[in-house]
Amino acid sequence: MTNLIVAVDGPAAAGKGELTRRLARHFNLARLDTGLLYRAVGWAVLQANGDPADEGVALAKAKALTAADLENPDLRSEAAGSAASKVAAIPAVRTQLIDFQRDFAKNPPGGAAGAVLDGRDIGTVICPDANAKLFITATAEIRAERRLKELQAKGVEAIGSAVLRDMMERDARDAQRSVAPLEPAKDAFVLDTSDLDADAVFAAAVDFISRKVT
Ligand code: DC
């Protein structure tokens, strides 16, 4: 196996982040959180006082994106997340970001043995030939509960019902957009993490990937 490519898709707060960090360590893979690309574009539009749903400004920001932009801690904010889901619905923005993601997968930095990409359309659009595809999901209620705990751990005041409403709105935008809607690839291993802890999710994913690549 020369370059192992693992695609991990699924809705927000399903556990993709922790899983892909652990998979990266286990299989010596470079990791790309592709949501950061959309967050960086959305954030850049907000910084320019633009409307994230405006194709002209969003596409200009997508064209100007550099790897260094992904390091900005502000990208984790709820404002960046909400703007991201709007720029992500613009087909021209998605097309503009394809090459960056494919290039990362084919030429992973740091001498890694391959790449793991965390996103929504990695197995379906970005890397349809990935060696292993996982679709990580959980009920909206469980994901909202996890997100609420994360926010509280960061000292952010949040209300459970508002977090759940936001989660459902973002799910609807991601699932209903005309290009690359959130859906599992036909050959993806669908893992519902509602009743699983992080160790069980990791073990199931390692088992699936190992069977795929041997
Ligand atoms: O995973 P996240 O919350 O950082 O993603 C932010 C937004 O970007 C979310 O609304 C979904 C969108 N996104 C996407 O459309 N395609 C990806 N590959 C990754 C994220």
Side-chain angles (χ1 to χ4, degrees):
M1 181 70 56
T2 46
N3 187 46
L4 171 64
I5 299 179
V6 179
V8 179
D9 292 305
K16 302 188 302 289
E18 176 164 1
L19 173 64
T20 52
R21 268 187 281 276
R22 291 174 74 165
L23 290 175
R25 272 199 301 276
H26 185 84
F27 290 105
N28 182 28
L29 306 174
R31 170 178 179 268
L32 179 64
D33 172 356
T34 63
L36 283 180
L37 301 178
Y38 297 93
R39 285 172 178 265
V41 173
W43 185 250
V45 174
L46 293 181
Q47 293 307 102
N49 289 320
D51 172 5
D54 175 340
E55 171 166 339
V57 60
L59 183 58
K61 296 301 180 193
K63 285 184 175 160
L65 191 74
T66 67
D69 296 332
L70 307 183
E71 308 293 329
N72 183 351
D74 291 334
L75 302 187
R76 302 280 167 205
S77 65
E78 288 301 295
S82 175
S85 76
K86 292 175 187 151
V87 302
I90 302 172
V93 169
R94 303 197 69 85
T95 304
Q96 178 62 34
L97 298 177
I98 288 177
D99 285 350
F100 184 101
Q101 298 171 80
R102 288 192 181 149
D103 186 54
F104 185 97
K106 285 201 191 108
N107 305 298
V116 55
L117 280 75
D118 163 339
R120 302 291 193 289
D121 61 342
I122 308 304
T124 49
V125 175
I126 305 296
C127 300
D129 299 327
N131 302 90
K133 300 178 186 177
L134 293 114
F135 191 88
I136 306 298
T137 188
T139 64
E141 287 74 15
I142 298 260
R143 290 184 289 114
E145 220 172 88
R146 291 175 185 165
R147 181 51 57 85
L148 183 64
K149 281 194 192 131
E150 275 171 27
L151 291 170
Q152 287 168 341
K154 281 197 266 177
V156 177
E157 265 188 53
I159 301 167
S161 56
V163 174
L164 177 59
R165 194 191 56 230
D166 266 15
M167 187 75 71
M168 292 172 89
E169 277 174 13
R170 204 160 311 167
D171 281 0
R173 265 206 295 271
D174 290 346
Q176 287 161 12
R177 65 176 176 232
S178 60
V179 281
L182 176 65
E183 62 181 4
K186 289 194 177 53
D187 50 348
F189 172 43
V190 179
L191 190 55
D192 186 327
T193 69
S194 301
D195 300 317
L196 299 177
D197 65 16
D199 287 344
V201 174
F202 176 63
V206 168
D207 180 56
F208 173 73
I209 296 167
S210 303
R211 279 187 284 114
K212 276 283 187 187
V213 297
T214 49

